[in-house]
Amino acid sequence: MAQVLCHLDDDKEKDPNLIVGFDKSDDAGVYKISEELALVQTVDFFTPVVDDPYMYGQIAAANSLSDVYAMGGKPLTAMNIACFSCSIDSKILAKILQGGADKIKEAGAVLAGGHTVTDNEIKYGLSVTGTIDPSKIITNSGARPGDVLILTKPIGTGILTTAFKRDLINEGELQQAVNVMATLNKNASEAMQKIGVNACTDITGFGLLGHSYEMAEGSGVEIKIYSEKVPLMDKVIKLIENKAVPGGAYSNIDYFGKWVYFEDSVKEDVRIALFDPQTSGGLLISVCKEKSLELLEDINSKGYLKAEIIGEVLQSGTQKNIITVI
């Protein structure tokens, strides 16, 4: 939901029950129903990133569900959104929808229906509704100076899927990215809810640095990223050297680059990797230092993806660059 530009009349009265809207580019909208219950709502869909229709359905569903997890919510219902050409075998659509349905079931949510339209280009995703206690919402704008930053998935899905489309890697070499994209952020979300954290966002199309900027700007802080601590998928640096870089990475550099300062020691290919647009990426969690190791251990005990401490939150200064990469 965060990657939508909205223009509304500022004079219009806002509904006081809309606790989280689009004003700080958060991951999902939150609407309070009672003092104990609020709805978390999001929507996302995109074109295929892999050839296997079943895995594409899994990845698209995991990506859509991630926004609810980033807010600390529990997915409740999901509705399919699909664009499909009548000239393509309907069995392909069936596999996509089956992949999505299986991922929804894994999340403990219920598929409640959906909508399809005729389109020459395949697109699939979900509209997801979840629930949350209004007093326990985790936004992207609560990071505090002294916090450390935990990233729960490695970076590189944009690079690897681009390389696969250009025949620079084979299916076996793409599998790491497929596994990462299809993995729910459920376990990490439950772990951070249990321990209590200050802020969270999921890393998607704006890349690690773009979403870090949104967290820093929304929280009124600065962020320092330790580039050597950021987990990268296999072959990412080599593929960047071979020019397997998606256009979205350069768009992210053009837009967010003015707020990012790189120390001279950070190599150019690493800089590009940190702007790489992710599909169904991990959570970026801002948590007080005293809780960080316990949270890290809890997350890493529940799956094969290795979370890492990749940075820290600093007091806001007067400088233009609010993200520093060392």
Side-chain angles (χ1 to χ4, degrees):
M1 189 199 86
Q3 295 168 85
V4 177
L5 297 178
C6 300
H7 302 277
L8 296 181
D9 186 346
D10 291 337
D11 293 330
K12 289 184 177 179
E13 184 178 353
K14 293 182 179 179
D15 189 324
N17 291 320
L18 184 62
I19 305 173
V20 180
F22 52 80
D23 54 318
K24 291 189 177 179
S25 301
D26 229 312
D27 296 296
V30 181
Y31 190 87
K32 186 170 75 172
I33 295 177
S34 69
E35 293 304 315
E36 295 79 29
L37 181 66
L39 294 180
V40 186
Q41 295 183 294
T42 187
V43 60
D44 204 341
F45 66 113
F46 50 77
T47 57
V49 292
V50 294
D51 289 342
D52 185 323
Y54 178 79
M55 287 309 304
Y56 165 48
Q58 292 245 307
I59 291 166
N63 181 77
S64 300
L65 290 157
S66 182
D67 288 337
V68 175
Y69 290 132
M71 303 295 293
K74 179 181 179 181
L76 186 64
T77 63
M79 302 190 77
N80 287 323
I81 302 171
C83 301
F84 205 77
S85 172
C86 294
S87 64
I88 299 176
D89 190 344
S90 61
K91 291 180 181 179
I92 294 175
L93 177 59
K95 290 181 180 179
I96 294 171
L97 297 180
Q98 185 61 58
D102 288 348
K103 191 58 61 173
I104 293 166
K105 182 178 180 180
E106 182 184 338
V110 176
L111 179 62
H115 186 69
T116 60
V117 298
T118 301
D119 194 331
N120 289 331
E121 188 172 29
I122 295 174
K123 303 176 185 71
Y124 174 67
L126 302 175
S127 171
V128 184
T129 297
T131 56
I132 194 169
D133 183 331
S135 67
K136 297 179 180 179
I137 298 168
I138 303 171
T139 69
N140 69 352
S141 57
R144 300 174 183 173
D147 283 359
V148 299
L149 297 173
I150 293 176
L151 180 66
T152 66
K153 288 184 180 182
I155 298 295
T157 60
I159 302 294
L160 285 169
T161 54
T162 298
F164 182 72
K165 291 174 183 177
R166 298 178 184 176
D167 295 323
L168 295 174
I169 60 173
N170 58 38
E171 287 191 8
E173 293 170 310
L174 180 66
Q175 193 59 46
Q176 181 188 16
V178 172
N179 292 340
V180 168
M181 291 186 289
T183 298
L184 292 173
N185 282 319
K186 178 180 179 180
N187 288 339
S189 178
E190 290 174 348
M192 73 173 182
Q193 291 172 58
K194 181 172 67 174
I195 199 168
V197 304
N198 293 326
C200 180
T201 188
D202 64 338
I203 307 303
T204 51
F206 291 155
L208 175 62
L209 293 184
H211 289 289
S212 294
Y213 164 76
E214 290 184 331
M215 179 179 285
E217 196 275 335
S219 303
V221 299
E222 295 180 10
I223 281 176
K224 181 183 289 186
I225 300 292
Y226 316 135
S227 60
E228 292 185 353
K229 296 293 186 180
V230 177
L232 299 178
M233 295 181 193
D234 298 340
K235 296 184 178 292
V236 163
I237 299 301
K238 182 178 180 180
L239 290 169
I240 291 173
E241 293 171 352
N242 290 332
K243 311 300 181 185
V245 180
Y250 294 116
S251 296
N252 288 339
I253 291 170
D254 289 343
Y255 185 78
F256 294 105
K258 56 183 170 289
W259 292 297
V260 180
Y261 169 76
F262 291 96
E263 288 197 345
D264 292 341
S265 59
V266 182
K267 296 180 179 180
E268 181 64 24
D269 47 15
V270 174
R271 301 183 187 196
I272 293 173
L274 300 183
F275 280 111
D276 182 39
Q278 302 302 285
T279 298
S280 191
L283 300 181
L284 180 67
I285 303 169
S286 182
V287 60
C288 67
K289 189 174 182 179
E290 293 74 17
K291 296 180 179 179
S292 59
L293 293 181
E294 182 182 349
L295 176 58
L296 196 66
E297 182 179 354
D298 192 5
I299 293 172
N300 287 332
S301 70
K302 295 179 178 179
Y304 78 94
L305 299 178
K306 192 172 186 299
E308 297 280 3
I309 293 175
I310 64 154
E312 60 183 299
V313 180
L314 307 174
Q315 191 76 37
S316 179
T318 58
Q319 61 198 59
K320 167 187 169 185
N321 306 112
I322 66 174
I323 305 293
T324 300
V325 183
I326 64 174

